[in-house]
Amino acid sequence: MTSLDLELARERSHHDACRAALIRMTEDVVEQVVIGEDVAASGADAEALGYHLRSRAKEMGEMPPGPLFFGRLDREDGQIHHIGRRRIAEHPAAPPLVVDWRAPVSRAYYQAGAHDPQGVLRRRRFGWAPHSEGATEDLTALEDERLTDGGATGTVSALVTGEIERPRVGPMRDIAATIQPEQDDLVRSEPAASLCVQGAPGTGKTAVGLHRAAYLLYTHPQRIRRSGLLVLGPHRAFLSYISEVLPSLGETGIRQATLDEEIARHPVRAEDGEAAARVKHDARMAGVLHRALYGRVDPAPAEDLAVPDGSYHWRLPASDLAAIVAAVREEAPPYATGRERVRARVVRALQLRAERRWGPMGAAWARKIERARAVTAFLDACWPRTSPEEVLAEVLTEPTDPALTRDELAAIRWARPPRSYRSARWTAADLVLLDELAGLIERPESYGHVVVDEAQDLSPMQCRAIARRTEFGSLTVLGDLAQGTTPWAARDWDEQLAHLGKTGTPVVPLTLGYRVPAAIVDLANRLLPQLGADVPAGRSVRRDGEVTVHRTTDLTAGVREAVRAALATEGSVGVITADGLVEVVTEAVRDRSGDGRVTVLPASVVKGLEFDHVVVVEPAAIVAAEERGANRLYVVLTRAVSRLALVHEGELPECLRTER
């Protein structure tokens, strides 16, 4: 038996011990739930303990199958640490058999090198069979890197490269085993601070954001879980794709949603024209809505307030009422809070008058005056109750605001106003405006941390919706200005971060890609001068990859041939085209499903997704389909992680022509 075989045998034996310990941990947690149900404590304490134990049991039970460790550190002090996705020990007080990748001691696994060994003698990486569910025999390889004898060359290891280049089938995988030093710096950044990652395609910005979320939940569990953690993605297909990353890292119960889902007050039952959508998403609408809401407040009541109290009437002059209203307006509380603050100050002013005449008045007297019809009538006239729907309906029925031009006012005006706001058919942009008004009336609860992916595509008004939910929390902002495809997509991160309420947030560029091969990155980089975004060109550590261009006189036959060639290799196949050509392309590949490996998608929904082989059909049609079509094509080209084929009957965009 060779030395390699001996080492593999030892590591397999350790994995068996880890598996046995994990089984005991899971059984212990289940037993603790049963014991906890009979614990002698107050009802509230017992309920809190039961919730904690049940949550832990649920988390253990939902752990996806897989290898229990992916690396090992041999330190100069003689300690050996196996690194995995969660801590495993024979009992809570025992030294861990596996150290969580987020623990401080694990950082050297990602950061140590020959230039800075950080007390590490050897870093060992393990190779597991593809799609392994954690069977010990699936441990098939190991790779040692000695850091104190010049053995660390700074190149990406063969096992890491193999894992990165493994075919993409199914949902997105975590990258705990392959995190690179510059990614690790971002993952472990200060939790109280917000962070913006400008990431070129394939640099792992989405994975960095998700792993940072997992890291924050590990290092600050009470703080983050108390306020909640939210992951916002651009669309449901993207969220489905990333859905297994956090559970694979031991974190469950995290809300993952689109912004539309987060702010939904009503179903979307209508659609705006392009002109109306642009206006509604514009930052000026915040002022329009603020003025419409607070325009309902009467700053100068015309009449004195008289409140009956038995046979007596307590009076407040109109000038005193106006001073109270003005003072509350100056304090700028939420609208609903302002109304109650006015009520409280009016009652206090009346109470002071009563006490000067009759002596101290108790709390019961104050509550009676609060409910007096005269006080409520004054409030309804001076600071009326309202709802976001009522205010927005009035704005859209007859919009008049100096911040908007005549054409812009006409664009958002309802052509046929509903009989009442209760029967209105709201658009997606209307829901953003309703959320703005809801936040003005009563502030929403703030999350402890929010991860926002594809943030470059958010409008100023959408950014404000997120800012309201992170007023007392932090943000991880992920995006690429070059991939901005909405009409209002950001061209500058400082401005976008200001809309998100995080002015001064550092912007960290990631330019070195691990997912997209250099041949594909170089092709996509040809588009950068046309994209209107000042971003550095992407680079790739991968020298493999293949780009082919097929000119055809029969588009259907050309697509079929390209898909046939793609299916001859391993991995997933994405066939992407302009939205208007999807039906044609779908029909062309109907009989070439490749056992479910082929997916036909419109270019508008592929952001954030990846496929081993991408067939792009009529690139010029993608460019021509929308205002920022060149940005859309840039996104499409960079979905390929191994091979890219361009199939076209018409001319290619000039920047992609080989004869340039």
Side-chain angles (χ1 to χ4, degrees):
M1 181 178 290
T2 67
S3 59
L4 175 60
D5 291 334
L6 286 172
E7 285 298 311
L8 279 173
R10 293 191 187 101
E11 297 294 1
R12 288 169 179 157
S13 177
H14 184 74
H15 193 265
D16 285 337
C18 295
R19 179 66 66 191
L22 180 61
I23 292 172
R24 286 193 295 272
M25 287 171 63
T26 304
E27 292 172 346
D28 288 347
V29 168
V30 174
E31 184 178 352
Q32 288 170 15
V33 172
V34 176
I35 295 173
E37 290 176 350
D38 299 325
V39 70
S42 71
D45 289 343
E47 184 176 346
L49 176 62
Y51 176 79
H52 170 74
L53 293 173
R54 287 191 299 273
S55 297
R56 194 168 165 219
K58 182 174 182 289
E59 178 184 309
M60 295 287 288
E62 291 180 354
M63 271 190 63
L68 301 182
F69 54 76
F70 51 77
R72 169 177 146 173
L73 289 176
D74 293 11
R75 302 188 62 87
E76 291 176 347
D77 58 11
Q79 295 188 67
I80 296 176
H81 303 296
H82 283 77
I83 313 298
R85 288 168 177 81
R86 68 170 304 136
R87 184 183 190 276
I88 299 175
E90 292 180 329
H91 59 81
L97 297 172
V98 177
V99 177
D100 194 297
W101 67 276
R102 298 166 287 187
V105 73
S106 299
R107 184 163 197 182
Y109 181 77
Y110 302 105
Q111 295 284 349
H115 62 288
D116 181 18
Q118 300 186 18
V120 177
L121 288 174
R122 177 175 64 180
R123 173 169 46 217
R124 173 170 288 179
R125 305 182 192 275
F126 297 101
W128 294 85
H131 315 299
S132 172
E133 295 191 351
T136 296
E137 59 270 20
D138 289 344
L139 176 53
T140 58
L142 56 85
E143 179 183 82
D144 286 342
E145 189 178 10
R146 299 188 181 276
L147 305 186
T148 56
D149 60 2
T153 64
T155 60
V156 180
S157 81
L159 288 180
V160 171
T161 300
E163 174 63 19
I164 291 172
E165 296 179 4
R166 181 154 60 89
R168 264 61 177 173
V169 177
M172 181 180 180
R173 307 189 297 264
D174 71 77
I175 62 165
T178 61
I179 293 173
Q180 298 302 298
E182 68 276 14
Q183 296 172 326
D184 185 66
D185 288 337
L186 299 175
V187 167
R188 297 175 192 266
S189 55
E190 171 58 38
S194 294
L195 173 71
C196 177
V197 180
Q198 159 59 43
T203 54
K205 57 184 177 293
T206 298
V208 163
L210 295 173
H211 286 68
R212 187 180 189 221
Y215 176 76
L216 295 179
L217 288 165
Y218 176 84
T219 54
H220 295 78
Q222 298 304 318
R223 171 181 166 184
I224 299 298
R225 290 189 188 278
R226 182 172 59 249
S227 301
L229 192 148
L230 171 67
V231 176
L232 289 175
H235 47 73
R236 181 46 56 184
F238 173 83
L239 292 171
S240 176
Y241 178 61
I242 68 169
S243 63
E244 293 187 13
V245 173
L246 286 170
S248 73
L249 298 172
E251 301 297 345
T252 58
I254 308 305
R255 177 164 170 75
Q256 300 185 33
T258 66
L259 181 59
D260 288 346
E261 292 169 345
E262 181 66 16
I263 67 174
R265 295 172 62 90
H266 303 280
V268 174
R269 299 174 57 203
E271 186 174 344
D272 282 310
E274 183 178 339
R278 284 179 181 272
V279 178
K280 290 178 179 180
H281 280 282
D282 192 284
R284 291 173 296 162
M285 284 301 297
V288 171
L289 298 177
H290 188 278
R291 288 185 285 275
L293 175 62
Y294 283 91
R296 306 170 81 81
V297 174
D298 182 357
E303 298 180 353
D304 295 349
L305 173 65
V307 181
D309 184 12
S311 61
Y312 196 82
H313 281 72
W314 303 108
R315 292 184 179 276
L316 273 183
S319 59
D320 288 5
L321 296 173
I324 289 174
V325 173
V328 172
R329 283 293 308 270
E330 184 69 22
E331 294 162 6
Y335 185 89
T337 302
R339 174 184 164 94
E340 295 311 309
R341 198 170 287 180
V342 169
R343 183 199 299 272
R345 293 183 187 180
V346 166
V347 171
R348 179 59 180 161
L350 293 170
Q351 186 174 0
L352 290 174
R353 290 172 180 266
E355 288 177 344
R356 283 197 292 268
R357 175 180 286 270
W358 289 347
M361 311 301 290
W365 183 89
R367 287 194 295 271
K368 179 183 72 173
I369 298 300
E370 282 180 357
R371 296 191 295 268
R373 288 184 180 179
V375 172
T376 299
F378 160 72
L379 283 171
D380 288 343
C382 170
W383 201 297
R385 294 181 186 275
T386 190
S387 68
E389 290 79 3
E390 184 178 10
V391 177
L392 184 58
E394 290 181 5
V395 169
L396 299 181
T397 298
E398 195 57 49
T400 55
D401 192 279
L404 302 180
T405 67
R406 181 180 300 178
D407 289 342
E408 288 171 333
L409 293 170
I412 65 173
R413 182 181 291 112
W414 272 336
R416 298 178 60 186
R419 292 183 178 179
S420 76
Y421 68 85
R422 293 182 176 85
S423 60
R425 293 166 57 85
W426 304 109
T427 68
D430 290 338
L431 298 187
V432 179
L433 302 183
L434 288 172
D435 191 76
E436 177 78 20
L437 284 164
L440 290 172
I441 293 171
E442 190 169 1
R443 289 194 182 102
E445 292 187 8
S446 181
Y447 285 93
H449 192 80
V450 176
V451 177
V452 188
D453 208 348
E454 303 296 348
Q456 77 282 344
D457 276 337
L458 297 171
S459 71
M461 294 302 291
Q462 289 174 318
C463 287
R464 290 176 61 86
I466 296 170
R468 284 188 289 277
R469 288 160 173 79
T470 56
E471 184 177 4
F472 305 110
S474 52
L475 267 174
T476 297
V477 180
L478 310 168
D480 179 9
L481 297 178
Q483 296 186 58
T485 53
T486 58
W488 40 78
R491 298 180 185 272
D492 176 82
W493 278 122
D494 289 342
E495 183 179 351
Q496 193 77 335
L497 290 167
H499 290 311
L500 286 164
K502 303 298 179 184
T503 302
T505 293
V507 179
V508 181
L510 285 179
T511 59
L512 187 59
Y514 302 91
R515 173 174 62 82
V516 185
I520 298 172
V521 170
D522 292 344
L523 180 70
N525 282 344
R526 294 189 195 177
L527 288 165
L528 287 178
Q530 302 180 26
L531 305 186
D534 184 15
V535 298
R539 301 171 295 132
S540 178
V541 299
R542 295 179 55 185
R543 310 320 298 175
D544 62 332
E546 177 184 315
V547 175
T548 56
V549 180
H550 304 285
R551 181 73 183 263
T552 180
T553 56
D554 183 339
L555 192 61
T556 296
V559 170
R560 286 176 176 166
E561 176 57 26
V563 171
R564 184 198 62 75
L567 288 173
T569 59
E570 187 179 6
S572 56
V573 180
V575 185
I576 306 173
T577 190
D579 291 38
L581 290 175
V582 169
E583 289 188 14
V584 173
V585 173
T586 299
E587 184 62 31
V589 302
R590 187 176 302 281
D591 59 343
R592 299 185 183 277
S593 63
D595 297 325
R597 289 198 289 142
V598 178
T599 305
V600 178
L601 291 165
S604 59
V605 301
V606 300
K607 192 168 291 184
L609 306 182
E610 57 185 30
F611 302 91
D612 290 287
H613 192 128
V614 167
V615 177
V616 182
V617 182
E618 288 293 12
I622 296 174
V623 174
E626 55 187 305
E627 178 184 343
R628 303 191 69 162
N631 300 73
R632 184 76 71 186
L633 180 58
Y634 180 79
V635 173
V636 169
L637 296 179
T638 54
R639 299 309 92 201
V641 299
S642 293
R643 294 166 300 280
L644 174 67
L646 307 183
V647 179
H648 64 106
E649 186 175 350
E651 291 292 337
L652 282 175
E654 185 176 354
C655 61
L656 298 185
R657 296 173 192 170
T658 55
E659 65 271 17
R660 285 190 328 133

